[in-house]
Amino acid sequence: MEEDQQTILDLVKELVNRLLSQNPQNPKPPTSNTNPNSPDFLNSLRYAIRILSSRLTPSIAPDAAAISESIKRGLATQGKSSQALTFSELYNKFASKTGSGSINNKWAVLYLLKIISEDKKIAQNAPNPSPLLSNLGLNELDLSSESRVSHNLKRGEKDYDNGVLFVTKDPENLREIAFREFVNLIKEENEVSEEVLVRDVLYACQGIDGKYVKFDANVDGYVLLDSIKVPRATRVMVRKLCELGWLFRKVRGYISESMDRFPAEEVGTVGQAFCAALQNELLDYYKLLAVLEAQAMNPIPLVSETASSGNYLSLRRLLVWFAEPIVKMRLMAVLVDKCRVVRGGAMAGAIHLHAQHGDPLVNEFMRSLLRCVCSPLFEMVRSWVLEGQLEDIFAEFFVVGQPVKAEALWREGYRLHAGMLPSFISQPLAQRILRTGKSINFLRVCCDDRGWADATTEAAAAAGTTTRRGSLGYGETDALETLVVEAAKRIDKHLLDVMYTRYKFKEHCLAIKRYLLLGQGDFVQYLMDIVGQELSEPANTISSFQLAGLLESAIRSSNAQYDDRDILDRLRVKMMPHGTGDRGWDVFSLEYDARVPLDTVFTESIMARYLRIFNFLWKLRRVEHALIGAWKTMKPNCIASHSFTKLQHAVKLRLLSTLRRCQVLWNQMNHFVTNLQYYIMFEVLEVSWSNFSNEMEVARDLDDLLAAHDKYLHSIVEKSLLGERSQSLCKSLFVLFDLILRFRSHADRLYEGISELQTRTRASSLSSQDKNRSRRQTRDKSSEPGSWLNDGRKALEERAGEFLQNMGQELEAISKEYTVLLEGFLSQLPVQQHVDLKFLFFRLDFAEFYSRLHPGS
């Protein structure tokens, strides 16, 4: 072997010698370059041996034709077209040669020539180019120490200075020697072996302190002891690997802390499910650590043994093994930090936000985690939607219930808790979930109905699921929404059917309109006739039992007697709180007893609004009744008598003027009240009822029905001048009502006086005997002070003139006051925001009578 090596070395020397002697660009004499001891010769020899000994693999595919074309393109690009043609001819001859004397690996020869050609340009720019490099185009390297090549060949050592490793032949096992020297160097730099560090890292990843790797509370992490001598790179790698142990410690600590506090409310079932999901992930983590600990038992082989033994564990291999677990553990640690201050649906929503990730590994891990975490939440949704049961011991569900009376169950019994609503359930879906379960409870508690069970079974079948536990889970939001929609549609329809058919909701609404809103005309008129005398008394002297009897008489005497007895039994008399000086008219009202479940719609606040409307309509009817009563006393047959022809002319003129003033004022008031009543009864009540009836037909659930009823009642209140924005207008209207009632009392006094004057005048025309007899019969009555019967004819005329003058003045004052109040009322109507109130002004001033009286107003 040594002879062969020497032969190869001699041949290389001969090759270098010839190349140096044939270099035309070498300025030195040939004898100086070819001297075996000259620096140029030795440098060229070293580099040639380095090239021949290298086993560098080119980075391109072995294709002789391709590299030939590349060389030709390079020559043509440099403007050497003739050389490109010459190379093409030479390559064709070279490629065509075959046989025993030809070169098989033609591509390698072309590649070598191409590389040498490219290095020649670099060598020409070198400060001291060697003759060989100048001749061959090889790059000159800074090689020192004479006879280094032959010395290395004999010792088998590596040329570290030039980065050359002789791997062609290794008869003295020089490679193994180098590896052992490398291992000895590593041992000198490391006080602790890598196997020990690997085991300590595995301990740290289980939350256990190792011999050299321990948890440091100051830095909040596992670190390698400072007293241990290891390279800085190793220390950094250990710290990086131990991050997994720090994350594991945090996750395991959260699980232990939560389980120790359970069943505390701040943990809850969702928190417990989260801990179970984390524990499941840690089981896979424990399995991985068991596999790694088994591999850590095998010694780490030398570099030369790597190919033969691969079942071992090093720090670098741990980095690869921990790549996926550390991603999952980081996620779990982040979730643990997020979930310390939240619970229930809020916890599920916080975890869901981290599932929106583009990494498939992270996305799948989070979905698996959320399927476990959200299972209690979806079970609550299933139980609530299909059974109406609120299984929420720890207040984790986004539907919150509270104990209330039956009449407040729908409006106040259940509500949404926005803080517990997870982000993967939309607000409209949450509202529908709330209403579906609320409908079931309303049917069960208020309606005493069990038909909802069939509806939920049909809904589950239509949605393609079952009513069993565990039928819903995370990632099935579409299935959940389909189930909720189907259940809500069927349960809401069943609820409305129960309300309309079994509890006759429409009939009760119509009864309230007819009796509380005074839509039953004959009943209202008869009731007002029979209770008028009773209500004229002071309020504290009126018996509610007597009024209840009068109410029953009004029902039996009108078409109301044909109504359902259940409806009539709900109609009652109610006396409002009253003070000193109040009359029965001021405190009388009717009420309607809306029992369960109707009191869900007709709540106390709703009935209070109905009472307010009733009081307004009742007073309007009272004013109308008063004007009708005044007209009855003003009928011509009540005052037409020939006895007035004997009065003085001045007294007759004053009488006629006063009667005319009273008649005109009555007409004005009657015009106003008639048009106002027409507006209230038709433009307000009937139109609002028609709209309400249409909305009842299209209502899809109880919320729609409640909204339609509230809209109906609000429309009546606003259009009837009872709204917040019409307070001043309402006050003006009630002042007008009081003035009309005062006019009625003045009209009654006027016609009572006229009737008395008629009686006295007729008595004065009788014979003396008749007069004496009449005086004796009326002696008791004439004893009253101020009576006209005690006076003579002249005194009678004087008293009559004085009475008519006073009544005329009072009527004139009432007329002026009425005109001012009416003009003030009408002036406020056009500025009202509600369009129907502007239409009321059009009705009252249809002929523009008031507008012409005051064109500037």
Side-chain angles (χ1 to χ4, degrees):
M1 295 296 294
E2 293 181 359
E3 293 178 358
D4 294 339
Q5 289 184 3
Q6 187 63 38
T7 302
I8 293 172
L9 182 60
D10 292 340
L11 291 174
V12 173
K13 286 181 180 181
E14 183 65 24
L15 175 63
V16 172
N17 189 21
R18 291 187 180 186
L19 291 174
L20 290 176
S21 62
Q22 296 175 4
N23 184 11
Q25 299 178 357
N26 189 7
K28 297 182 181 181
T31 55
S32 63
N33 291 335
T34 57
N35 185 4
N37 296 323
S38 65
D40 292 340
F41 182 83
L42 293 176
N43 289 339
S44 299
L45 179 62
R46 292 191 193 100
Y47 191 72
I49 293 176
R50 176 184 176 187
I51 293 297
L52 295 174
S53 303
S54 67
R55 299 181 64 183
L56 301 176
T57 303
S59 60
I60 60 176
D63 189 348
I67 198 168
S68 171
E69 290 297 325
S70 175
I71 293 173
K72 286 191 289 185
R73 281 197 304 270
L75 292 172
T77 304
Q78 297 173 8
K80 302 176 181 179
S81 302
S82 60
Q83 296 181 13
L85 292 174
T86 303
F87 173 80
S88 178
E89 294 175 359
L90 293 173
Y91 173 73
N92 291 334
K93 294 179 181 180
F94 178 68
S96 62
K97 288 188 176 184
T98 58
S100 59
S102 63
I103 299 175
N104 295 328
N105 196 358
K106 297 182 176 61
W107 172 85
V109 174
L110 292 175
Y111 180 75
L112 175 64
L113 293 175
K114 183 175 183 297
I115 293 300
I116 292 174
S117 175
E118 292 174 353
D119 288 348
K120 182 177 180 181
K121 300 175 184 177
I122 302 175
Q124 290 175 352
N125 298 325
N128 297 312
S130 66
L132 180 63
L133 296 177
S134 301
N135 189 45
L136 297 178
L138 296 175
N139 220 359
E140 182 179 10
L141 299 177
D142 186 14
L143 301 176
S144 59
S145 72
E146 295 185 10
S147 304
R148 179 78 177 270
V149 175
S150 60
H151 182 67
N152 288 344
L153 283 173
K154 293 179 180 179
R155 292 185 55 193
E157 295 180 356
K158 296 177 289 183
D159 191 356
Y160 289 109
D161 294 337
N162 298 307
V164 178
L165 181 64
F166 296 104
V167 292
T168 51
K169 292 184 179 181
D170 194 6
E172 298 180 1
N173 202 18
L174 300 179
R175 186 180 182 189
E176 292 298 328
I177 295 173
F179 283 143
R180 282 196 295 270
E181 290 181 358
F182 176 73
V183 171
N184 294 332
L185 180 62
I186 294 298
K187 289 181 178 180
E188 291 177 2
E189 295 180 352
N190 293 273
E191 185 178 338
V192 181
S193 65
E194 189 172 5
E195 291 92 338
V196 175
L197 291 179
V198 168
R199 276 197 298 271
D200 273 18
V201 168
L202 291 177
Y203 287 150
C205 291
Q206 301 174 60
I208 304 172
D209 287 346
K211 186 176 181 181
Y212 303 105
V213 179
K214 299 181 181 296
F215 184 81
D216 189 350
N218 295 327
V219 298
D220 191 23
Y222 287 94
V223 295
L224 189 59
L225 296 178
D226 295 336
S227 59
I228 305 302
K229 180 183 177 183
V230 292
R232 186 174 181 275
T234 303
R235 190 177 295 275
V236 172
M237 189 181 300
V238 170
R239 179 66 182 271
K240 186 176 182 180
L241 290 169
C242 288
E243 179 190 359
L244 186 59
W246 178 80
L247 296 171
F248 169 77
R249 183 187 177 99
K250 174 182 286 191
V251 174
R252 187 184 62 178
Y254 173 80
I255 295 174
S256 301
E257 180 184 350
S258 299
M259 289 298 97
D260 290 342
R261 288 187 295 140
F262 190 81
E265 183 173 330
E266 56 269 16
V267 178
T269 55
V270 175
Q272 190 181 17
F274 178 51
C275 292
L278 294 177
Q279 193 66 46
N280 289 337
E281 293 298 331
L282 291 184
L283 288 177
D284 295 336
Y285 176 68
Y286 292 146
K287 294 176 183 178
L288 173 63
L289 290 182
V291 173
L292 295 179
E293 285 183 349
Q295 292 188 11
M297 301 300 293
N298 300 324
I300 300 176
L302 297 175
V303 180
S304 60
E305 300 173 354
T306 302
S308 60
S309 60
N311 193 18
Y312 68 93
L313 199 61
S314 64
L315 293 177
R316 292 186 180 276
R317 287 197 170 198
L318 271 181
L319 282 175
V320 179
W321 277 106
F322 285 172
E324 181 177 330
I326 201 168
V327 172
K328 294 183 178 180
M329 201 66 74
R330 282 173 182 163
L331 276 174
M332 289 191 285
V334 170
L335 296 179
V336 162
D337 288 337
K338 290 285 186 181
C339 297
R340 287 187 185 276
V341 295
V342 293
R343 59 188 178 87
M347 177 183 290
I351 299 174
H352 168 73
L353 294 178
H354 291 80
Q356 314 305 309
H357 204 285
D359 189 345
L361 170 66
V362 176
N363 188 269
E364 181 59 31
F365 169 73
M366 292 301 301
R367 291 178 69 87
S368 174
L369 194 70
L370 279 166
R371 276 191 288 270
C372 183
V373 171
C374 295
S375 57
L377 195 63
F378 276 86
E379 179 55 32
M380 294 179 194
V381 174
R382 186 206 64 80
S383 177
W384 174 252
V385 170
L386 298 181
E387 301 172 8
Q389 297 292 336
L390 196 59
E391 298 178 354
D392 188 18
I393 303 174
F394 302 105
E396 302 173 284
F397 197 34
F398 54 84
V399 175
V400 180
Q402 56 185 354
V404 293
K405 296 180 179 179
E407 59 267 21
L409 179 66
W410 183 267
R411 297 178 185 268
E412 302 173 8
Y414 304 97
R415 62 179 178 84
L416 277 182
H417 187 350
M420 289 296 173
L421 181 62
S423 53
F424 52 83
I425 296 181
S426 63
Q427 187 72 21
L429 180 58
Q431 290 287 351
R432 187 167 290 175
I433 291 172
L434 170 67
R435 192 183 66 246
T436 304
K438 194 163 60 171
S439 298
I440 294 176
N441 280 278
F442 183 80
L443 287 168
R444 181 193 294 122
V445 177
C446 299
C447 301
D448 193 21
D449 179 80
R450 295 293 180 270
W452 56 266
D454 297 333
T456 56
T457 304
E458 294 174 4
T465 182
T466 63
T467 58
R468 299 193 306 271
R469 291 179 176 267
S471 56
L472 295 173
Y474 178 80
E476 302 175 359
T477 308
D478 293 339
L480 171 64
E481 188 167 0
T482 302
L483 175 62
V484 172
V485 169
E486 294 294 333
K489 181 171 64 177
R490 287 166 171 77
I491 293 173
D492 289 336
K493 182 178 182 300
H494 179 70
L495 173 57
L496 292 181
D497 289 343
V498 170
M499 291 290 289
Y500 291 158
T501 306
R502 180 177 173 184
Y503 291 98
K504 301 179 180 179
F505 175 76
K506 296 179 181 179
E507 288 79 356
H508 287 288
C509 288
L510 182 59
I512 291 177
K513 172 182 175 291
R514 292 169 60 190
Y515 298 117
L516 295 192
L517 302 185
L518 308 184
Q520 186 73 26
D522 58 341
F523 163 77
V524 175
Q525 187 64 41
Y526 191 83
L527 177 65
M528 193 160 285
D529 288 339
I530 62 177
V531 301
Q533 183 177 1
E534 188 74 21
L535 296 181
S536 299
E537 301 296 327
N540 54 5
T541 63
I542 299 177
S543 171
S544 58
F545 296 102
Q546 187 174 356
L547 291 177
L550 296 176
L551 173 64
E552 186 65 26
S553 299
I555 291 174
R556 290 196 302 267
S557 303
S558 63
N559 287 330
Q561 62 181 316
Y562 302 112
D563 278 347
D564 189 351
R565 196 64 220 176
D566 177 62
I567 291 177
L568 297 178
D569 290 341
R570 296 170 183 261
L571 190 61
R572 300 171 184 174
V573 172
K574 180 180 179 180
M575 301 296 290
M576 294 184 295
H578 53 272
T580 305
D582 289 336
R583 295 284 176 175
W585 290 105
D586 302 320
V587 299
F588 174 82
S589 65
L590 296 179
E591 66 174 353
Y592 195 83
D593 182 20
R595 307 184 188 106
V596 177
L598 296 178
D599 53 2
T600 299
V601 181
F602 305 111
T603 61
E604 291 184 3
S605 60
I606 294 295
M607 298 311 294
R609 295 170 70 184
Y610 272 117
L611 178 61
R612 187 180 177 196
I613 299 173
F614 172 83
N615 290 333
F616 169 74
L617 297 177
W618 182 253
K619 190 156 191 177
L620 178 61
R621 283 300 186 97
R622 179 191 173 191
V623 169
E624 180 197 27
H625 188 265
L627 290 175
I628 293 175
W631 172 251
K632 290 180 180 179
T633 60
M634 292 166 59
K635 288 188 299 184
N637 58 357
C638 293
I639 59 174
S641 176
H642 296 286
S643 58
F644 290 124
T645 57
K646 298 181 180 180
L647 294 176
Q648 292 183 359
H649 182 68
V651 175
K652 286 196 299 184
L653 289 178
R654 184 164 294 170
L655 173 62
L656 294 176
S657 174
T658 303
L659 291 178
R660 184 177 181 279
R661 175 71 270 177
C662 183
Q663 185 72 35
V664 169
L665 188 56
W666 182 89
N667 286 333
Q668 293 177 351
M669 293 180 174
N670 184 65
H671 170 265
F672 171 73
V673 171
T674 301
N675 282 279
L676 179 62
Q677 187 179 19
Y678 177 88
Y679 163 77
I680 295 295
M681 300 307 296
F682 293 96
E683 300 296 337
V684 176
L685 296 181
E686 292 300 328
V687 171
S688 298
W689 173 257
S690 176
N691 295 334
F692 178 46
S693 299
N694 294 333
E695 291 181 359
M696 275 195 292
E697 294 298 328
V698 299
R700 295 173 298 178
D701 50 64
L702 188 55
D703 280 334
D704 288 349
L705 192 62
L706 292 175
H709 182 261
D710 288 342
K711 181 180 178 182
Y712 162 68
L713 199 55
H714 178 75
S715 174
I716 295 176
V717 170
E718 290 294 325
K719 293 180 181 180
S720 300
L721 315 178
L722 300 176
E724 294 294 333
R725 296 177 295 181
S726 306
Q727 288 299 310
S728 60
L729 200 61
C730 184
K731 291 179 181 178
S732 301
L733 184 61
F734 274 83
V735 173
L736 277 171
F737 287 166
D738 292 338
L739 183 62
I740 294 174
L741 293 176
R742 200 170 69 187
F743 164 77
R744 164 67 192 275
S745 64
H746 279 71
D748 288 344
R749 285 176 53 200
L750 172 63
Y751 284 96
E752 285 177 3
I754 293 175
S755 178
E756 187 175 355
L757 176 61
Q758 181 184 8
T759 303
R760 184 69 185 97
T761 303
R762 190 168 49 243
S764 64
S765 63
L766 296 176
S767 61
S768 300
Q769 295 177 355
D770 293 334
K771 289 180 182 179
N772 294 332
R773 187 170 57 251
S774 174
R775 287 172 181 169
R776 285 196 300 268
Q777 292 175 353
T778 60
R779 184 172 299 164
D780 297 332
K781 186 181 296 185
S782 65
S783 61
E784 297 177 359
S787 176
W788 296 354
L789 298 180
N790 283 328
D791 301 330
R793 187 178 186 84
K794 185 176 180 179
L796 177 64
E797 290 180 352
E798 291 178 356
R799 293 293 301 275
E802 182 181 352
F803 169 73
L804 293 174
Q805 182 179 2
N806 293 335
M807 291 302 302
Q809 292 175 354
E810 291 180 2
L811 288 176
E812 186 65 26
I814 291 176
S815 176
K816 291 180 179 180
E817 185 178 358
Y818 174 76
T819 302
V820 172
L821 291 174
L822 182 61
E823 290 174 356
F825 177 79
L826 295 176
S827 64
Q828 297 181 59
L829 287 177
V831 299
Q832 298 299 312
Q833 296 184 2
H834 207 291
V835 65
D836 287 333
L837 295 181
K838 298 178 182 179
F839 183 72
L840 173 61
F841 174 76
F842 172 74
R843 288 195 59 83
L844 294 175
D845 194 25
F846 179 79
E848 298 183 354
F849 173 77
Y850 299 104
S851 300
R852 288 197 301 269
L853 285 180
H854 301 279
S857 60

